[in-house]
């Protein structure tokens, strides 16, 4: 079974700081990391491979040349091969243009070694859109299953997979024919501590790097900024909310004022 | 582009029940449609859902595009997408809104790809530029305390997914009149590559957070896991649910289903305690519609005070224990058994 | 895991990388193991980078390394509660090539430095903790990591795992550090706009300044404080020996808060935004605390070998120099195919013959002297301030009379003989 995981290098939003004056990101402080959801996607591929006892895991990313760092990270987790598509022509892509470029690379990967399963993270933490995964599935014309919290069964014989998919108020059990595309939630697994051999392999690993010309027949107008229908119109600070009443005084006075307010709502409180 | 007209809302339903966000979007869509002087339509798909049309119209739609077919019993990307694509290609809406739910986001992403158009994710503000007939879909920009308005200038329909609980639904109007346009879909179960085996509706913690009347939410200001215990203690004392900001979830002090904000849950409880959190936009959009918001923070300039009904500038570790003590005294006065029910 | 390397370097700070880089450049097969997410990730602080020792490893490094500012001025403050006696040197020649020293942010510099090593062929793995050395027949033959299947082998293991080197302890090279052998330093990075820094420190573009503070900066305890200017931030820190901190019942951050709010210091920091706080152990043991540095198949370098000059607060220069010397010893050992203690002792010999050890030896008594005689910090700094105040205050008293009063002030507190003795001892210790 050939599993391809799509991953993205993102700034670590945990660490990134906002410049309070300009309201923009202070990128100095933010190291680039593997999108955390994508790490779980790779881990799930590793888990499936080890359950099936065979298979191959490739990872695919789009980004600047330094994005090979996140591919190394995926090799640490247990991926076998890594591909980076990197070209100025891809720059400025929105989700539509991104899914187009990635699907072209996936077609190229599949032409050598047919793909059974594509796994993506639920979304990237620098955009939070979650639109690229389903977009890739459409372009490859394979069924997408989003918000996956468990892969319950993989039947290599009849080429089906059974998945638990998170819903707004519960979950559903879905069976899908392979090849298909999954986007995974963090709770799908725990990132394992990789063996030392993976670390050595990753440190030595040289990713395949492809430019547009390596992707075969590509419609240039669908790539990058040109291929992106959405544009940022303006940035603005949202209208300030009015704000309420500040409770003054010592902390005892503040608390007793607050208690007055809360006791008006006492039917809502269930004091134990 | 002139041939594209009208505002559409995807009506998400499960077992005959319309999702709250779809009704909210009919409210928001009504305003956009009125500004543009075009009809508002709901797209209703499912099995035996015909009678839901009344609700869709009653909440503001002029037209309901209905496809009622057994193959649509459960949401599946492939069947729903095909229906929506066909409808959109035939009737050409200029704006198309979806709830930012797992199914809404899934469907919108697939449809946008097939229609080769722009899609804005997790919108929290909507408006239109009437002259240019442009949808202005705004969302908190990545990580920042700033909003970005996303436009789709050249492609139609202009699509957006919208966060639940940020728009307001119109009250049901039983005498509103609208038109139901029924279409057919040629899809058989054999063509389908996915099958829904089972749906389990469970009261997960996340669901209970979305339904909670009282929530105590803590932020990074609680210092560490041990400091965060104070949030649990207050919540236990008053019978509230606990939530956390993105930082808290990233730090692993709470499981991710308890994250409140843009990438977590949107909540609208009756009482919301915001303790030791600054009020970054990505958090505020997830809680600002709560009825009574009480903020406790050391920094008098913390933006959370702008969202708060009542604010206390002070150290949570000083104020909250006193608050807990007050409630405990009430319990003692009432013999230790009576609770406010 | 059967793979074997020529050298395994544990740690990717300045010492470890200097060693790994030099070995790889000379064709050795090097594995470098770092516990942090990336080199420098465990060290968010800034510090001083010394041109000479860095240049000996990477010539003209200033053309590409991520540096903050070249230091053109070094100030020293003898600070009392509401006054300070200051002196220093500012020279524009330090602001042009080849420069003297630089301020750096360690997270940036260490990462860049390690990358240079990788370019020379070092195999660097992060997020991996070496738990122990594998010893066979009295010889270190590899290391065990905390990862599954985590054993790996080499002819030589280089320990560059920092001041509290568990690995050196495990081999019995170190004793448990005594509280007077380590300083606890609390540091903070405070963001300030470039213009504000330039104005407040009287600097121009690409000029930096350091201030070393004695006296009330440590509330009179043995130790020093420092302020370094980065491009758009300031490093401020204060360190005293662990033993004084225990004695004074103080917490490191309390001392740092005291310093930040000190009237001599606060105006420099006003309006700044604190971003990172760190408490860090620094070996202050000096010459007397330097442990065994070479064994069978193993050498110890940098902070792990306690190579820090407590008086001049130098560390990264010794780290780099010791790393390079160790590498040269390893390269020779490989040529001889002899990795015994005797063979690797050429590192020890080079180290003791170098200026590093000479400096450490020179100051070997200083820390103990100041530790056991608190009057240096507690009494003489305030006295000096009073003296200067008297001298410069215009009140009609003739200068000659003032000098008399000053000397009387000094001697009345401790007696003429006591002061003379103290001064002589101090002079011997630091001179």
């Amino acid at each position: 079974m050939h599993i391809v995981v799509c991953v993205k290098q993102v700034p670590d939003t945990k660490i990134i700081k906002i410049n309070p004056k300009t309201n923009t990101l202070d990128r100095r402080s933010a190291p680039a990391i593997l999108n955390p959801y994508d790490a779980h996607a790779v881990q799930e591929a590793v888990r499936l491979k080890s359950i099936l006892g065979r298979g191959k895991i490739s990872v695919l990313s789009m980004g600047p040349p330094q994005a090979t760092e996140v591919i190394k990270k995926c090799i640490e987790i247990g991926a076998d091969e890594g591909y980076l598509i990197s070209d100025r022509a891809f720059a400025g892509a929105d989700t539509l243009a991104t899914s187009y470029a990635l699907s072209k690379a996936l077609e190229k990967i599949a032409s050598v070694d047919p793909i059974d399963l594509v796994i993506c993270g639920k979304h990237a933490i620098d955009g939070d859109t979650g639109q690229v995964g389903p977009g890739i599935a459409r372009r490859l014309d394979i069924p997408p299953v989003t918000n996956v919290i468990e892969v319950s069964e993989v039947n290599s014989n009849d080429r089906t997979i059974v998945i638990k998919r998170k819903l707004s108020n519960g979950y559903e059990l879905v069976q899908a024919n392979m090849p298909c595309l999954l986007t995974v939630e963090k709770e799908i697994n725990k990132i394992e501590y990789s063996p030392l051999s993976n670390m050595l392999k990753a440190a030595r690993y040289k990713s395949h790097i492809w430019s547009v010309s390596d992707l075969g027949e590509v419609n240039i107008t669908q790539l990058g900024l040109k291929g992106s229908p959405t544009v940022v119109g303006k940035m603005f600070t949202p209208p300030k909310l009015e704000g309420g009443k500040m409770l003054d005084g010592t902390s005892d006075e503040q608390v007793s004022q607050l208690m007055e307010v809360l006791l008006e709502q006492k039917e809502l409180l269930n004091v134990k | 582009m002139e041939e594209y007209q009208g505002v559409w809302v995807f009506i998400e339903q499960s077992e005959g029940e319309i999702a709250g966000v779809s009704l909210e979007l009919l409210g928001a869509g009504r305003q956009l449609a009125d500004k543009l002087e075009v009809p508002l339509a709901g797209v209703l798909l499912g099995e035996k859902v015909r009678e839901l049309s009344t609700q869709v119209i009653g909440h503001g739609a002029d037209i309901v595009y209905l496809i009622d077919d057994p193959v649509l019993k459960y949401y599946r990307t492939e069947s729903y997408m095909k229906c929506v694509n066909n409808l959109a290609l035939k009737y050409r809406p200029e704006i198309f809104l979806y709830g930012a739910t797992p199914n809404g986001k899934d469907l919108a992403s697939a449809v946008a790809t097939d229609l080769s158009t722009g899609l804005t994710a997790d919108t929290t503000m909507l408006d239109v530029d009437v002259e240019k007939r442009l949808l202005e879909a705004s969302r908190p920009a990545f990580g920042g305390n700033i909003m970005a308005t996303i436009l789709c200038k050249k492609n139609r329909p202009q699509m957006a997914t919208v966060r639940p609980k940020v728009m307001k639904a119109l009250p049901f109007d039983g005498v509103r009149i609208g038109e139901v346009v029924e279409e057919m879909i040629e899809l058989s179960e054999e063509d389908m590559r996915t099958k829904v085996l089972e749906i389990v509706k469970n009261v997960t913690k996340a669901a209970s957070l979305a339904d909670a009347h009282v929530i105590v939410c803590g932020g990074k200001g609680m210092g560490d896991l041990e400091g965060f215990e104070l949030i649990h203690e207050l919540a236990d004392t008053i019978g509230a649910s606990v939530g956390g900001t993105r930082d808290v979830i990233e730090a692993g002090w709470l499981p991710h289903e308890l994250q409140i904000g843009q990438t977590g849950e949107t909540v609208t409880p009756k009482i919301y305690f915001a303790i030791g959190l600054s009020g970054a936009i990505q958090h505020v959009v997830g809680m600002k519609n709560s009825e009574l918001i009480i903020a406790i923070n050391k920094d008098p300039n913390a933006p959370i005070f702008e969202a708060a009904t009542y604010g206390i500038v002070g150290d949570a570790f000083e104020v909250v224990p006193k608050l807990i003590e007050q409630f405990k005294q009430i319990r003692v006065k009432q013999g230790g058994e009576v609770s406010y029910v | 895991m059967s793979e074997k390397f020529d050298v395994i370097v544990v740690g990717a700070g300045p010492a470890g990388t200097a060693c790994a880089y030099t070995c790889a450049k000379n064709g050795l097969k090097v594995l470098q193991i770092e516990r942090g997410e990336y080199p420098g990730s465990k060290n968010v602080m800034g510090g001083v980078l010394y041109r000479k020792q860095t240049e000996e490893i990477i010539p003209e490094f200033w053309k590409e390394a991520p540096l903050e500012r070249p230091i053109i001025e070094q100030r020293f403050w003898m600070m009392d509660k509401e006054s300070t006696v200051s002196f220093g040197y500012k020279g524009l020649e330090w602001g042009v090539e080849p420069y003297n020293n630089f301020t750096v942010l360690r997270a940036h510099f260490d990462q860049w430095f390690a990358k240079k090593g990788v370019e020379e062929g070092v195999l660097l793995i992060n997020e991996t903790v070496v738990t122990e050395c594998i010893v066979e027949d009295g010889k270190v033959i590899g290391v065990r990591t905390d990862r599954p299947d985590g054993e790996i082998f080499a002819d030589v293991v280089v320990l560059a795992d920092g001041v509290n080197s568990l690995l050196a302890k495990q081999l019995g090279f170190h004793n448990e550090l005594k509280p007077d052998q380590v300083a606890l330093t609390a540091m903070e990075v405070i963001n300030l706009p470039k213009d504000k820094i330039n104005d407040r420190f009287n600097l121009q573009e690409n000029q930096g300044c350091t201030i070393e503070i004695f006296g009330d900066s440590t509330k009179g305890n043995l130790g020093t404080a420092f302020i370094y200017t980065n491009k758009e931030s300031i490093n401020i820190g204060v360190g005293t020996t662990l033993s004084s901190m225990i004695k004074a019942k103080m917490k490191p951050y309390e001392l740092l808060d005291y310093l930040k709010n000190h009237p001599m210091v606060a105006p420099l920091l006003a309006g700044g935004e604190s971003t990172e706080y760190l408490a860090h152990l620094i070996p202050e043991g000096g010459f007397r605390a330097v442990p065994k540095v070479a064994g069978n198949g193993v050498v110890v370098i940098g902070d792990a070998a306690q190579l820090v000059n407590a008086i001049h607060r130098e560390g990264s220069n010794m780290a780099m120099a010791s790393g390079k010397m160790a590498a040269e010893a390893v390269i020779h050992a490989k040529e001889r195919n002899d990795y015994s203690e005797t063979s690797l002792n050429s590192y020890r010999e080079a180290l003791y013959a170098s200026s590093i050890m000479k400096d450490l030896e020179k100051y070997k008594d200083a820390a103990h002297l100041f530790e056991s005689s608190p009057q240096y910090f507690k009494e003489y700094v305030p006295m000096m301030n009073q003296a200067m105040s008297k001298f410069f205050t215009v009140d009609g008293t003739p200068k000659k009379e003032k000098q008399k009063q000053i000397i009387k002030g000094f001697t009345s507190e401790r007696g003429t003989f006591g002061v003379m003795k103290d001064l002589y001892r101090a002079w011997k210790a630091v001179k």
Side-chain angles (χ1 to χ4, degrees):
Chain A
M1 181 148 118
H2 186 198
I3 306 174
V4 183
V5 186
C6 298
V7 303
K8 185 181 185 187
Q9 187 180 42
V10 294
D12 192 345
T13 50
K14 229 182 348 190
I15 295 173
I16 204 157
K17 294 183 185 77
I18 312 295
N19 180 331
K21 282 202 192 103
T22 59
N23 261 323
T24 52
L25 299 168
D26 178 6
R27 282 178 187 273
R28 273 190 316 173
S29 54
I33 57 165
L34 172 62
N35 178 42
Y37 289 92
D38 302 348
H40 289 275
V42 179
Q43 187 69 58
E44 192 59 17
V46 171
R47 196 183 71 86
L48 295 177
K49 181 181 159 182
S50 97
I51 288 172
L52 295 170
R54 72 201 133 84
K56 177 179 158 187
I57 301 165
S58 305
V59 294
L60 169 65
S61 187
M62 177 170 99
Q66 36 313 0
T68 49
E69 286 303 313
V70 300
I71 289 180
K72 286 189 170 219
K73 194 83 206 168
C74 298
I75 304 277
E76 281 180 15
I77 299 171
D80 299 296
E81 289 291 341
Y83 302 86
L84 174 70
I85 57 170
S86 189
D87 200 304
R88 279 177 196 281
F90 300 133
D94 72 358
T95 55
L96 193 72
T98 302
S99 70
Y100 179 69
L102 288 173
S103 66
K104 285 289 150 192
L106 285 164
E107 281 170 10
K108 177 165 168 141
I109 293 171
S111 70
V112 179
D113 191 351
I115 299 169
D116 301 288
L117 188 61
V118 180
I119 312 183
C120 304
K122 178 178 83 164
H123 62 225
I125 58 169
D126 63 346
D128 294 336
T129 71
Q131 292 172 181
V132 173
I136 293 171
R138 279 310 304 141
R139 292 182 185 280
L140 298 179
D141 193 23
I142 59 175
V145 185
T146 50
N147 305 83
V148 175
I149 51 174
E150 184 184 301
V151 176
S152 315
E153 281 172 46
V154 180
N155 305 306
S156 347
N157 295 335
D158 65 354
R159 294 177 53 76
T160 60
I161 184 166
V162 178
I163 289 141
K164 246 189 207 176
R165 174 172 183 258
K166 191 176 180 174
L167 298 173
S168 303
N169 57 347
Y171 67 88
E172 63 182 7
L173 220 51
V174 182
Q175 179 184 305
N177 295 353
M178 291 196 287
C180 60
L181 179 142
L182 316 180
T183 76
V184 304
E185 301 271 354
K186 280 186 184 171
E187 58 253 56
I188 192 165
N189 56 39
K190 269 208 161 96
I191 304 293
E192 302 281 335
Y193 202 49
S194 321
L196 189 61
S197 51
N198 284 14
M199 302 300 292
L200 295 174
K201 183 180 174 193
R204 291 191 169 109
Y205 191 75
K206 298 260 182 292
S207 304
H208 306 269
I209 302 180
W210 290 339
S211 64
V212 171
S213 57
D214 294 314
L215 293 184
E217 224 169 280
V218 173
N219 183 347
I220 300 287
T221 60
Q222 290 193 50
L223 291 176
L225 207 53
K226 254 190 239 165
S228 299
T230 57
V231 290
V232 177
K234 60 175 180 199
M235 306 284 272
F236 62 100
T237 27
K240 282 206 171 176
L241 298 165
E242 281 167 25
K245 190 177 174 222
M246 299 306 285
L247 305 179
D248 297 324
T250 64
S251 61
D252 285 319
E253 287 162 3
Q254 288 172 325
V255 167
S256 70
Q257 291 173 68
L258 182 56
M259 283 305 288
E260 260 174 55
V261 173
L262 290 173
L263 291 179
E264 282 170 26
Q265 310 280 336
K266 62 185 175 185
E267 72 285 354
L268 292 169
L269 305 173
N270 181 18
V271 178
K272 285 181 203 134
Chain B
M1 295 222 291
E2 298 75 45
E3 68 267 34
Y4 289 88
Q5 277 217 346
V7 177
W8 284 18
V9 171
F10 173 68
I11 306 299
E12 185 174 339
Q13 60 79 27
S14 170
E15 295 175 353
E17 198 183 321
I18 295 178
V21 66
S22 301
L23 302 180
E24 292 157 23
L25 286 186
L26 286 171
R30 185 71 261 166
Q31 290 184 5
L32 302 182
D34 289 345
K35 280 192 189 175
L36 293 167
E37 297 174 351
V38 292
L40 172 69
V43 175
L44 179 60
L45 311 176
E47 183 195 28
K48 299 183 191 144
V49 291
R50 199 166 275 109
E51 60 271 26
L52 295 180
S53 307
T54 334
Q55 275 191 56
V56 177
I57 292 166
H59 279 97
D62 302 306
I63 308 167
V64 176
Y65 293 103
L66 169 73
I67 303 180
D68 200 313
D69 191 295
V71 82
L72 301 175
K73 180 168 187 206
Y74 297 114
Y75 171 81
R76 279 178 291 182
T77 323
E78 37 183 352
S79 53
Y80 273 57
M81 179 203 68
K82 188 156 189 201
C83 295
V84 171
N85 281 348
N86 288 354
L87 289 171
L89 288 171
K90 185 166 175 187
Y91 296 102
R92 297 170 183 261
E94 57 191 309
I95 290 172
F96 199 163
L97 307 175
Y98 306 72
T101 58
N103 288 349
K105 292 186 71 162
D106 181 289
L107 177 64
S109 306
V111 171
T113 312
D114 274 44
L115 300 180
S116 211
T117 192
L119 170 62
T120 305
D122 296 292
T123 311
T124 57
M125 286 171 74
L126 291 171
D127 203 353
V128 280
D129 178 334
V130 175
E131 211 166 293
K132 294 181 184 154
R133 302 192 80 78
L134 272 182
L135 174 69
E136 297 172 333
S138 305
R139 65 191 304 255
F142 151 55
N145 274 325
I146 193 163
M147 300 280 287
T149 304
I150 312 294
L151 306 173
C152 174
K153 291 181 176 166
K154 291 183 186 140
N155 304 47
R156 294 291 176 274
Q158 309 165 76
M159 307 218 305
T161 60
V162 183
R163 295 285 303 179
K165 297 189 180 179
V166 292
M167 304 294 164
K168 289 250 175 335
L170 297 169
F172 180 73
D173 176 357
V175 297
R176 258 189 75 87
I177 325 167
E179 182 192 358
V180 178
V181 178
E182 186 159 358
E183 293 280 333
M184 309 297 269
I185 186 78
E186 281 183 26
L187 256 187
S188 70
E189 197 53 49
E190 289 76 58
D191 302 330
M192 302 294 289
R193 295 174 292 182
T194 50
K195 215 185 288 174
V196 174
L197 305 176
E198 192 186 358
I199 290 188
V200 180
K201 292 201 174 169
N202 59 345
V203 188
T204 62
K205 280 180 183 171
S208 72
L209 194 57
D211 298 337
H213 289 307
V214 185
I215 292 175
V216 182
C217 182
K220 199 167 50 174
M222 303 313 292
D224 51 24
L225 188 57
E226 212 177 300
F228 202 82
E229 271 304 307
L230 194 56
I231 299 292
H232 291 287
E233 201 186 323
L234 176 59
D236 283 349
T237 310
I238 58 175
S241 299
V242 170
T245 60
R246 184 174 188 149
D247 292 322
V248 163
I249 274 63
E250 296 282 0
W253 303 346
L254 282 181
H256 24 74
E257 60 266 26
L258 299 185
Q259 180 178 335
I260 295 170
Q262 172 81 355
T263 47
E265 287 290 317
T266 302
V267 296
T268 51
K270 306 273 187 210
I271 306 178
Y272 188 88
F273 289 88
I275 303 177
L277 62 90
S278 65
I281 285 180
Q282 77 92 16
H283 179 72
V284 172
V285 296
M287 49 62 76
K288 67 175 180 192
N289 290 339
S290 306
E291 280 181 26
L292 174 65
I293 299 173
I294 294 152
I296 302 173
N297 198 301
K298 266 199 279 200
D299 176 6
N301 299 319
I304 190 66
F305 289 124
E306 288 159 20
T309 329
Y310 294 98
I312 290 182
V313 176
D315 185 346
F317 293 100
E318 192 181 333
V319 176
V320 177
K322 284 182 177 164
L323 194 59
I324 293 170
E325 193 49 39
Q326 291 276 324
F327 278 112
K328 286 192 173 155
Q329 280 176 14
I330 288 170
R331 185 192 58 184
V332 172
K333 276 183 204 152
Q334 298 186 350
E337 283 180 15
V338 182
S339 59
Y340 296 113
V341 177
Chain C
M1 172 65 50
S2 57
E3 190 168 358
K4 194 181 155 205
F5 288 83
D6 292 329
V7 190
I8 293 173
V9 178
V10 184
T17 299
C19 184
Y21 176 94
T22 311
C23 288
K25 202 174 171 70
N26 284 279
L28 270 57
K29 189 177 166 194
V30 184
L31 174 65
Q32 188 175 20
I33 305 176
E34 161 63 30
R35 64 189 306 159
E37 232 171 297
Y38 53 88
S41 64
K42 294 266 164 191
N43 198 337
V44 293
M45 287 302 143
V48 173
L49 182 78
Y50 298 81
R51 187 254 304 158
K52 183 168 176 297
Q53 285 79 8
T54 314
E55 184 185 40
E56 280 169 7
I57 296 161
I58 301 182
E60 302 199 325
F61 64 94
W62 56 83
K63 291 193 170 149
E64 55 167 316
L67 306 168
E68 291 293 308
R69 293 170 182 249
I71 298 165
I72 64 144
E73 182 177 9
Q74 289 182 243
R75 300 179 198 167
F76 298 88
W77 287 4
M78 302 288 163
M79 193 167 79
D80 198 3
K81 295 221 170 341
E82 291 185 334
S83 63
T84 188
V85 177
S86 70
F87 61 98
Y89 176 75
K90 180 173 186 174
L92 295 181
E93 79 276 13
W94 285 352
V96 293
E97 284 188 26
Y99 304 100
N100 186 33
N101 298 325
F102 302 88
T103 53
V104 291
L105 290 174
R106 287 283 306 277
H108 296 172
F109 180 81
D110 288 8
Q111 213 174 347
W112 172 84
F113 194 30
K115 204 169 137 240
K116 298 306 284 182
V118 170
E119 284 168 17
E120 293 296 337
V122 174
L123 202 63
L124 168 68
I125 63 173
N126 297 310
E127 291 176 276
T128 303
V129 179
V130 172
T131 52
E132 59 182 335
C133 293
I134 303 171
V135 183
E136 207 177 85
D137 302 328
K139 186 176 174 298
V140 174
I141 56 162
V143 297
R144 197 163 283 128
T145 67
D146 63 342
R147 292 197 171 267
D149 303 321
E151 292 184 2
I152 190 139
F153 302 95
D155 289 327
V156 184
V157 173
V158 179
L159 305 183
D161 55 336
V163 56
N164 196 22
S165 175
L166 295 172
L167 300 173
K169 267 182 220 165
Q170 175 223 344
L171 295 176
F173 285 22
H174 268 204
N175 297 320
E176 235 7 273
L177 288 170
K178 295 193 193 104
D180 65 345
Q181 287 175 341
V182 281
L184 196 55
T185 304
M187 301 184 253
E188 204 169 305
V189 176
I190 295 173
N191 281 350
L192 261 185
K194 196 182 256 180
D195 298 345
K196 283 227 164 90
I197 295 177
N198 291 351
D199 288 349
R200 289 179 190 178
F201 289 84
N202 187 25
L203 299 168
Q204 292 185 329
E205 281 300 294
N206 209 29
Q207 292 184 342
C209 161
T210 62
I211 306 174
E212 307 276 336
I213 309 171
F214 305 87
D216 198 46
S217 58
T218 48
K219 283 191 166 173
N221 289 290
L222 171 61
T224 56
F226 59 84
I227 295 173
Y228 303 149
T229 56
N230 299 320
K231 278 195 180 113
E232 291 180 342
S233 62
I234 286 175
N235 279 303
I236 179 164
V238 56
T240 69
T241 57
L242 198 51
S243 52
S244 345
M245 218 170 267
I246 294 167
K247 225 184 282 169
K249 293 198 177 112
M250 272 184 312
K251 303 226 163 67
Y253 64 84
E254 289 169 354
L255 203 53
L256 185 59
D257 267 352
Y258 178 78
L259 176 66
K260 280 165 60 187
N261 291 313
H262 194 286
M264 297 291 116
V265 173
L268 294 175
L269 312 176
E273 177 211 8
S274 298
T275 58
E276 307 280 0
Y277 169 83
L278 178 85
H280 186 59
L281 282 175
I282 294 182
E284 294 281 3
F287 189 77
R288 289 178 202 274
V290 173
K292 183 173 166 178
V293 294
N296 282 329
V298 63
V299 291
V300 190
I301 61 176
D303 282 8
Q306 315 295 299
L307 295 170
V308 167
N309 183 332
I311 296 297
H312 291 284
R313 206 155 265 297
E314 296 169 355
S316 67
N317 56 342
M318 300 194 175
M320 287 196 189
S322 68
K324 185 164 179 268
M325 282 183 260
E328 283 157 1
V330 171
I331 293 160
H332 289 137
K334 176 156 171 91
E335 283 163 7
R336 293 192 292 265
N337 196 27
D338 176 3
Y339 304 99
S340 66
E341 182 172 341
T342 326
S343 170
L344 291 171
N345 247 336
S346 64
Y347 158 56
R348 185 190 168 80
E349 283 151 21
L351 191 63
Y352 276 78
S354 71
S355 57
I356 294 186
M357 278 316 218
K358 296 218 166 104
D359 280 355
L360 277 185
E361 188 172 9
K362 185 166 134 192
Y363 299 122
K364 68 178 182 230
D365 296 321
H368 283 282
L369 172 67
F370 292 131
E371 174 82 5
S372 56
S373 315
Q375 64 270 23
Y376 288 103
F377 284 101
K378 283 221 165 90
E379 293 167 20
Y380 292 162
V381 170
M383 275 186 223
M384 199 185 291
N385 277 272
Q386 286 151 22
M388 286 298 177
S389 172
K390 273 188 190 147
F391 194 73
F392 287 118
T393 304
V394 178
D395 59 2
T397 318
K399 287 269 188 273
K400 196 165 179 185
E401 181 61 23
K402 281 191 176 181
Q403 282 168 2
K404 258 192 213 158
Q405 285 177 12
I406 288 165
I407 290 169
K408 206 170 149 208
F410 265 93
T411 50
S412 66
E413 304 226 355
R414 226 181 122 68
T416 316
F417 184 66
V419 171
M420 295 291 283
K421 210 169 72 180
D422 285 345
L423 289 178
Y424 177 72
R425 276 165 52 193
W427 177 75
K428 263 201 69 177
V430 302
K431 205 47 220 154

